[in-house]
């Protein structure tokens, strides 16, 4: 009896040591297990006419490239704010001004998403250029800082929430003398309203963007962007030089 008690104590100690070792190993392996989990990026997309189909095409394109993405529909103004707050991980299409407006480290994708043309829509026959806009009320999409910069000192700037549709409604109802818009956004609506004309101002280049911490994923991100552009019939993708 005297020998059995110490043996029982030894066995209990050994069991406790084995249990602690197992727990230690499980915690040691936990970070690597988390690291192996798939990252699903939240990417901001602009409003599109076929919103649900576009989101599915984008997810499928990125999945083919080896990335999980969750499309997030955001107006222009919310994109920069959401990047700053960490609510999204990237943007499908934006100009280089996004780096300054977001205020967080970003990296540009290596694929040109598009070259949208900046247009001035007006019915005023006396207007032929921005310099003719003195004393005119010109609508600019809320969040379009570049557009506002173009009009400083030239017109009375009216920032419009609600996207292209709202801007065009205000124009037709006489609340604006004209508006600045890109051709892509205009084409997502009914186009240039009857009785109005479009004056082409400049062509801008837009890229996809990711937060700096996801820079290692750029090769897959670029590939997915190429596939998505092809799905949207945006042929001949170009690489950023």
């Amino acid at each position: 009896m005297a020998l059995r008690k110490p043996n029982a104590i030894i066995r209990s100690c050994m069991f406790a040591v084995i249990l602690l070792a197992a727990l230690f190993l499980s915690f040691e392996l936990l970070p690597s297990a988390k690291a192996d989990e798939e990252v699903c990026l939240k990417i901001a997309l602009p409003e599109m006419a076929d919103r649900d189909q576009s989101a599915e095409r984008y997810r499928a394109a990125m999945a083919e490239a080896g990335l999980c993405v969750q499309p997030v529909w955001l107006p222009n103004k919310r994109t920069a704010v959401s990047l700053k707050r960490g609510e999204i991980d990237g943007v499908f299409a934006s100009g280089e001004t996004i780096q300054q407006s977001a205020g967080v480290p970003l990296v540009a994708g290596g694929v040109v998403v598009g070259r949208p043309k900046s247009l001035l829509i007006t019915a005023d026959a006396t207007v032929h250029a921005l310099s003719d806009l003195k004393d005119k009320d010109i609508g600019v999409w809320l969040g379009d800082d570049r557009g506002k910069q173009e009009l400083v000192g030239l017109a009375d700037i009216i920032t419009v929430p609600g996207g292209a549709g709202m801007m065009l409604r205000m124009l037709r109802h006489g609340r604006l003398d004209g508006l600045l818009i890109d051709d892509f956004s205009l084409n997502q609506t009914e186009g240039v309203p009857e009785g109005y004309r479009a004056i082409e101002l400049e062509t801008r280049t837009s890229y996809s963007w990711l937060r700096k911490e996801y820079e290692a994923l750029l090769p897959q991100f670029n590939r997915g962007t190429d596939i998505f552009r092809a799905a949207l019939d945006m042929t001949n993708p170009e690489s950023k030089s």
Side-chain angles (χ1 to χ4, degrees):
M1 292 292 292
L3 291 175
R4 289 182 183 177
K5 192 172 183 179
N7 287 340
I9 294 174
I10 292 173
R11 284 196 300 270
S12 298
C13 291
M14 290 179 64
F15 178 77
V17 169
I18 292 172
L19 181 61
L20 287 172
L23 288 172
F24 176 77
L25 287 173
S26 67
F27 283 114
E28 283 294 304
L29 292 174
L30 186 59
S32 61
K34 285 184 177 180
D36 291 338
E37 291 179 1
E38 186 178 35
V39 174
C40 202
L41 302 172
K42 292 183 179 180
I43 306 297
L45 292 182
E47 289 292 341
M48 298 181 183
D50 57 344
R51 172 171 170 163
D52 294 335
Q53 292 179 352
S54 295
E56 185 53 40
R57 282 197 296 263
Y58 190 65
R59 276 193 293 264
M62 287 298 174
E64 185 176 339
L67 277 184
C68 173
V69 300
Q70 177 184 341
V72 179
W73 302 103
L74 287 176
N76 287 357
K77 185 66 175 178
R78 287 293 306 167
T79 298
V81 174
S82 294
L83 279 169
K84 184 177 298 185
R85 293 179 176 176
E87 296 169 349
I88 58 174
D89 304 308
V91 181
F92 167 63
S94 183
E96 295 187 353
T97 55
I98 190 68
Q99 297 183 88
Q100 181 177 358
S101 56
V104 295
L106 301 173
V107 289
V111 176
V112 173
V113 172
R115 289 196 169 93
K117 296 176 182 178
S118 180
L119 306 174
L120 172 63
I121 309 298
T122 182
D124 192 333
T126 66
V127 174
H128 302 282
L130 293 182
S131 56
D132 298 324
L133 295 177
K134 184 174 175 59
D135 298 326
K136 305 290 185 182
D137 291 331
I138 304 299
V140 176
W141 198 338
L142 180 64
D144 182 8
D145 295 332
R146 178 74 174 270
K148 290 169 63 176
Q149 291 171 7
E150 292 183 62
L151 293 174
V152 171
L154 298 175
D156 294 323
I157 303 169
I158 310 297
T159 54
V160 182
M166 176 66 76
M167 294 172 72
L168 289 167
R169 284 194 294 273
M170 291 180 65
L171 185 68
R172 290 194 299 267
H173 292 160
R175 297 174 62 185
L176 298 172
D177 298 313
L179 58 87
L180 283 186
I181 193 171
D182 64 83
D183 59 342
F184 175 82
S185 299
L186 184 64
N187 290 336
Q188 296 300 307
T189 65
E190 70 272 20
V192 181
E194 185 177 355
Y196 292 81
R197 58 198 174 92
I199 302 172
E200 187 173 324
L201 301 176
E202 65 172 333
T203 299
R204 305 174 183 178
T205 302
S206 61
Y207 303 95
S208 290
W209 298 82
L210 282 179
R211 295 176 67 91
K212 177 72 173 177
E213 57 261 40
Y214 297 112
E215 186 172 10
L217 300 178
L218 277 178
Q220 299 100 302
F221 194 58
N222 290 335
R223 174 63 180 150
T225 303
D226 264 336
I227 297 171
F228 181 59
R229 291 176 76 246
L232 292 177
D233 294 326
M234 302 170 72
T235 58
N236 299 319
E238 301 177 55
S239 294
K240 184 180 177 182
S241 58

